[in-house]
């Protein structure tokens, strides 16, 4: 519901500008479910489908809509304060770097509309599929 309400509030502003970007952040649960994660997978799959539908409706109006799968632990203060051993357990670059995630979103925003990405999958190089 949150993604739908965000789109509903944002799209009129972007349409008035004549261009813009609207990106939704999902997880691997949007692509496949896991045992004991049915509600999470259902919600993330719905988010992915919502992003696809909005992209098809508003892409022709110069609004870049994309779904970004963030699959892995994010190396940030919150996680590391809770589980400081992850840095050692995951090894070098075993977690998603916050600046690298931001760079990926910025790259999406700057894309030429002749080659817009509709879905981007971000994961650390050591992450298992």
């Amino acid at each position: 519901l949150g993604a739908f309400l965000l789109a509903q509030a944002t799209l009129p502003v972007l349409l008035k500008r004549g261009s813009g970007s609207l990106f939704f952040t999902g997880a691997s649960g949007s692509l496949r479910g896991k045992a004991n994660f049915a509600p999470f997978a259902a919600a993330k799959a719905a988010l992915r489908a919502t992003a696809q539908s909005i992209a098809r409706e508003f892409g022709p109006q110069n609004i870049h809509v994309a779904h970004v799968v963030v699959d892995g632990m994010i190396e940030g203060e919150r996680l590391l304060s809770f589980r400081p051993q992850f840095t050692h357990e995951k090894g070098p670059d075993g977690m998603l770097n916050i600046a690298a995630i931001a760079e990926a979103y910025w790259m999406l925003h700057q894309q030429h509309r002749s080659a817009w990405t509709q879905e981007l999958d971000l994961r650390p190089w050591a992450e298992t599929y």
Side-chain angles (χ1 to χ4, degrees):
L1 178 61
F4 177 78
L5 294 174
L6 173 74
Q8 199 172 40
T10 305
L11 285 165
V13 175
L14 298 178
L15 290 168
K16 186 175 180 180
R17 283 185 58 206
S19 67
S21 300
L22 182 58
F23 304 143
F24 298 94
T25 302
S28 58
S30 65
L31 306 172
R32 62 190 168 283
K34 287 174 56 177
N36 303 313
F37 283 86
F40 180 77
K44 290 302 180 183
L47 173 66
R48 182 177 186 235
T50 298
Q52 289 173 349
S53 294
I54 294 170
R56 286 182 176 87
E57 183 173 349
F58 293 96
Q61 297 175 67
N62 206 31
I63 308 299
H64 184 188
V65 181
H67 176 254
V68 180
V69 175
V70 177
D71 190 14
M73 300 290 185
I74 298 173
E75 187 177 22
E77 186 177 321
R78 182 176 173 196
L79 173 66
L80 296 179
S81 66
F82 179 67
R83 302 277 307 264
Q85 71 276 17
F86 269 3
T87 301
H88 176 71
E89 289 174 10
K90 295 290 185 178
D93 296 325
M95 291 184 280
L96 288 150
N97 176 280
I98 292 172
I101 295 170
E103 188 177 312
Y105 278 87
W106 183 242
M107 178 273 306
L108 277 176
H109 175 69
Q110 292 183 307
Q111 284 183 321
H112 190 272
R113 68 182 185 174
S114 68
W116 274 347
T117 297
Q118 200 285 311
E119 185 163 74
L120 183 64
D121 191 333
L122 302 176
R123 62 184 65 245
W125 71 275
E127 185 69 24
T128 57
Y129 287 84

